[in-house]
Amino acid sequence: MELDFLRFFDACDPSKTLAIANPEDRQYYIDFASVRGGKIIEALERTISLRSRLNQPTCQLFTGHIGCGKSTELRRGKKGLVVIVDNLDRVEDRRNDSGRTQPEYLFVDRGEQLRRLNCHLVYTIPLTLMFSNDYQALTNRFGGGVAPRVLPMVSCSAFKP
């Protein structure tokens, strides 16, 4: 297939999700796992697979910068009976009448309700929640103490002189 520069430019638009099943989109997909430092989607799938054997639903949190490819990666990895609640990472970070931010209210205060569906769930959450004072409550409520998976733009590592 010949690459069309304008189509390639359009495929790089961070507000659009590539449909990997579509051959037109698939030619523009680049697997950045090696520079991101791991296969995040495969880790989500592994957790679902292990819990499925025990007939236990999972609830996992997934985050990263807006436009880093979360939706594309989730679409690429979607298999079986998994409910993916995407784009909640775009919830406005404003304070409500109680003084809580919208993401804190939705995921921390109402997290118990979001978790009640008896199926495998993956929620995309705002990256700001990783730095919230309620981070530990968030991880306990959703992932049983397991930290949200972060899809980095690039791998971060310490410099060793």
Side-chain angles (χ1 to χ4, degrees), residues 91-127:
V91 171
E92 190 176 337
D93 196 29
R94 65 178 168 82
R95 298 207 176 270
N96 60 22
D97 294 338
S98 70
R100 305 281 279 162
T101 65
Q102 283 299 106
E104 288 171 336
Y105 174 77
L106 179 62
F107 291 102
V108 179
D109 298 347
R110 296 293 181 200
E112 199 59 44
Q113 286 86 359
L114 293 174
R115 218 192 130 78
R116 284 191 186 153
L117 294 172
N118 191 22
C119 62
H120 298 294
L121 292 161
V122 177
Y123 288 103
T124 58
I125 64 169
L127 191 58

Side-chain angles (χ1 to χ4, degrees), residues 34 59 62 89-90 104-105 113 155:
S34 64
C59 186
F62 187 54
D89 56 324
R90 289 172 165 78
E104 288 171 336
Y105 174 77
Q113 286 86 359
S155 178

